[in-house]
Amino acid sequence: MPTNRVTMRQIRETLRLHLQAGLSYAEVGRVLKISKSAVCKYVSLARAASVDWAHADTLADEELEAKLYRPAVPRSSHQLAPDFGLVHQELKRPGVTLMLLWEEYARDNALAYKYTSFCIKYREFAKCQQRSMRQIHVAGEKLFVDYAGGSVPIIDPVTGEITQAQIFVATLGASNYTFACATPRQTTEDWIGAQVLALEFIGGAPRLIVPDQARALIKRPDRYDPEPNRTYEEFARHYGCAVLAARPRHPRDKPKVEGAVLLVQRWILARLRNRRFFSLAELNRAIAELLTDLNQRPFKKLPGCRRSAFDSLDAPALRPLPPARFAICRWKEVKVNIDYHVEFEAHYYSVPHRLVGTKIDVRVTGSLLECFAANQRVASHALSAVRGHFSTVPDHMPASHRAHLEWTPAKLIAWGQRIGVSTAAVVTWQLEHRPHPEQGYRACLGLLALVRRYTAERLEGACTRAMAIRAPTLRSVTNILKCGLDRQGALFVADSPAAIVHENVRGADYYHH
């Protein structure tokens, strides 16, 4: 209630500047040197009284004061009290405030509470709710996830072995809509796979996902700045969410899922305690049936149930899911060996040779292995389970290695035959008499280099002399060329080169199969 005419002038000027001139609350406050909250209060009083500026300008101060500050009237709590349960639910909608709800409640209601009394009584109502209900969660904002403390035994029908299935629980902050499923363990794949199913169950993606700091999800746990692992980051990016991990040993950071875990234990697991399950799929079918009943149980102090609250609050606010389901992957940091290969599960995969000695990231999905350097994909291979073998892409090799790879024994002998029969004989000898095939390849590549340094005719002559003196080695041929001995006469004349008709010379055809 204003105490003097100065206050009424302030109220009148406030209404003019905001309702007629269109200034914001902050701008009106700066002009009149009053607080922004005072401006908000005066405008709200006018709106509740259905007084616009055109009407206010025609009223005397006393009339305007009577409109804005209505006298107290006898009150009946049955008539005046709003549905604070509905108010509590409406506050979860994006952008809805107590001031807006009070204005809607007080409009055309002569027996309405004043705004201050409205707020006080709502807070008293909120204090009476369960601890997990004290926070106000915006619709579509947070999905809380965790594992229940208990487990369910699964009996192998063949061996009789018993394993303990873990129970994953997720719940939405605004509606308490709850999802649960069983997973074999609590690995990274289990955590993320269960969250994928949770998002598909609710049919959309929230803005935030709130897990605890499980090592399967969080690479570097920290009270203030935990860092998710690479797979969890990729999952969140795929669904357009952010990860807000709760602080360790702070259950109040995720009270929603703590309450949901208790509900799942009492209303689902307790009912399944006497049943025997022989597969994870069988257990999940049983959980899904009881989950429908849990989400349709009426709230005790709020209107509706989890399902109806989800349909009206969270469902419209969730982001649509991407067209494709997230493919769960594994990440591993590896060092590139000197042979430009990286190792994963005892198999070796090539990467560009320029990365030798550096550390790169390997991403593994069901059938594909991808290599990333500086966040750029540099190689991809089909995943192989053959231990000790190599998957090599020729383009990853240095030019010299690539050329070496292209020269097969048959190709080397065919090249020798194009030079001459003696050169072919020397090439064949190299491939057959070296302890290791790699040594024979190198010697033949050395002969190739001699063609570029000398001529094909001189190389053929040198090979003829080397075969004649029974020294068909690369060093012997090289020395013959250096000394010019290939230009001297033949040591003996024969109708055909002895080496070619020898029974130990297999010929090029041997290497084609």
Side-chain angles (χ1 to χ4, degrees), residues 147 168 170 179 181 183 189-199 328:
Y147 270 89
F168 171 85
F179 169 78
C181 70
T183 64
E189 289 79 7
D190 292 329
W191 267 100
I192 295 179
Q195 290 178 61
V196 169
L197 294 177
L199 294 180
I328 299 176

Side-chain angles (χ1 to χ4, degrees), residues 448-497:
L448 283 170
L450 292 176
V451 172
R452 293 191 293 269
R453 185 174 178 181
Y454 302 98
T455 63
E457 291 78 7
R458 290 196 63 187
L459 175 62
E460 175 64 14
C463 288
T464 300
R465 192 174 187 89
M467 292 300 296
I469 63 175
R470 299 183 180 179
T473 63
L474 175 63
R475 178 176 296 181
S476 176
V477 173
T478 303
N479 288 334
I480 290 172
L481 289 170
K482 284 182 178 179
C483 298
L485 298 178
D486 58 293
R487 292 171 174 162
Q488 297 181 3
L491 296 179
F492 59 89
V493 179
D495 295 335
S496 61

